[in-house]
Amino acid sequence: AGALSPDPMLQSWLKQESLIPRLAAAMNMMANGRFPRDIFAAFAPRGKFKILRKNGGTFIDPAGFARYDAFATMVGKVDAVAAAKVLEELRPLFDAALRNLGERRLTLREAFPAAADELLQTPVLEGDIALIQGKKGITWMFAEERLESRSLVQKQLMRMGPKNQAVVQAKLRALTLALGDGR
């Protein structure tokens, strides 16, 4: 997998133990709308979520999207064709890991497209995005129900900002195409 990208952050992350079962679990979680926070903890942004207060409202501060620039840059450097080859080569191991999860998507060919679809259906934030105070451990929620009702993984992707979201979604499209799914 070292040929996927020269990015040192990715190279370091790829050295984790039990990476295939962890990635299989992440795909499964994302396909079901959940965010695999523990699996991607190494890429968590530094600093706090930034807000703006203006005209009596609370909004996402676009300056805060920069917290995700390093992650998006890393994703952007991944060679989609090389990644597809690695996934295909390791497909039996992914399939075994997915079966061990006991979920309905039992193969890489089912789990990856489902996870990609979940992320690709994420709307892009435009303009001022209003927030409201959350409850019990959730600091901020989207004020608009059409955004707040999205899955956890989609809300996480939206919080990365339009530019970073575009990078992630473009790489997902390229990887899906390289895998021969045609999406």
Side-chain angles (χ1 to χ4, degrees), residues 19-176:
L19 188 58
I20 291 173
R22 291 167 55 92
L23 283 172
M27 271 187 264
N28 187 62
M29 289 177 74
M30 288 186 282
N32 291 304
R34 298 189 315 268
F35 178 63
R37 184 176 325 281
D38 291 343
I39 295 166
F40 295 113
F43 306 122
R46 305 295 179 246
K48 291 187 176 190
F49 182 74
K50 294 185 177 197
I51 61 165
L52 288 173
R53 295 191 191 273
K54 62 182 183 180
N55 302 327
T58 305
F59 304 88
I60 292 178
D61 183 348
F65 297 148
R67 299 179 321 141
Y68 295 96
D69 288 353
F71 176 75
T73 297
M74 178 199 68
V75 169
K77 289 180 181 177
V78 171
D79 180 326
V81 173
K85 287 179 183 175
V86 168
L87 287 173
E88 273 303 312
E89 185 176 324
L90 299 175
R91 185 163 42 116
L93 298 174
F94 275 102
D95 290 351
L98 287 161
R99 279 192 303 276
N100 286 338
L101 293 172
E103 293 288 333
R104 65 175 191 236
R105 292 178 189 91
L106 301 178
T107 68
L108 179 67
R109 288 276 181 190
E110 295 167 316
F112 179 80
D117 283 348
E118 182 69 18
L119 291 166
L120 291 171
Q121 291 176 24
T122 306
V124 176
L125 299 179
E126 296 177 358
D128 288 338
I129 305 301
L131 301 169
I132 56 173
Q133 190 72 47
K135 309 172 203 164
K136 297 182 182 180
I138 300 174
T139 307
W140 298 105
M141 297 170 45
F142 292 107
E144 288 185 50
E145 180 59 25
R146 73 176 182 87
L147 300 176
E148 188 55 38
S149 66
R150 292 292 179 160
S151 70
L152 292 175
V153 72
Q154 288 178 345
K155 288 191 280 191
Q156 181 61 47
L157 185 57
M158 287 187 290
R159 287 185 180 109
M160 291 177 64
K163 180 186 79 161
N164 292 328
Q165 180 179 341
V167 170
V168 170
Q169 288 177 322
K171 194 56 67 173
L172 280 171
R173 285 185 194 96
L175 181 52
T176 302

Side-chain angles (χ1 to χ4, degrees), residues 2-11 74 77-79:
L4 297 179
S5 169
D7 190 283
M9 185 165 50
L10 180 64
Q11 292 295 320
M74 178 199 68
K77 289 180 181 177
V78 171
D79 180 326

